[in-house]
Amino acid sequence: YYLAVDLTGNHHDAEDLAQDVFIRAYRHLHQFRGDGSAYGWLHRITVNTFLNSKRSKIRSITTPFADNESVPEQRAESPLPDRQSESNELNRRIQSALETLSDRERAAFVLRHYKDQTMAEIAESLDIAVGTVKSLLFRSTRKMRVALADVATDWRDEA
């Protein structure tokens, strides 16, 4: 579910995606060979379902973390109001930068930086070569740096 939230950007679409994934997994359970983990198999189905839905334009994907939602794991404490608004603005900027990435770049970036997957795991999830994963991550990281350059400068100025 959290991978679906990271990919789609909002809880409503993530619920739809997660439901589609589990239906597909159930229907194709007989095809699971057991070579890898069930976790990896579900990740791969999730990413492929997301990419397929983007390609076919079935679902309109909205801005990640719309309406100032935050990633569920980040809701541990309520920071000071000014820190909360800074955090909301930073999340908005990051999500805006993520939207500039292609679907495959975004999937690779999310799997690497949000889900801490290895290159091999990402390659398996996306059904591509490790070299392609490296290329996608290089391009996506470069695009994110350009899009967030002023944020990094502001952060360095405050330190």
Side-chain angles (χ1 to χ4, degrees), residues 4 48 57-58 61 67 77 87 89 110 116 119 136-137 151:
N48 288 337
K57 305 284 185 191
I58 292 174
I61 306 299
D67 301 323
E77 298 178 7
S87 177
E89 176 62 18
V110 164
D116 293 325
M119 301 286 182
L136 289 170
L137 288 172
V151 173

Side-chain angles (χ1 to χ4, degrees), residues 42-43 55 64 77 81 85 111 117 123:
L42 285 175
H43 263 229
R55 279 189 209 112
E77 298 178 7
S85 67
L111 290 171
Q117 288 193 354

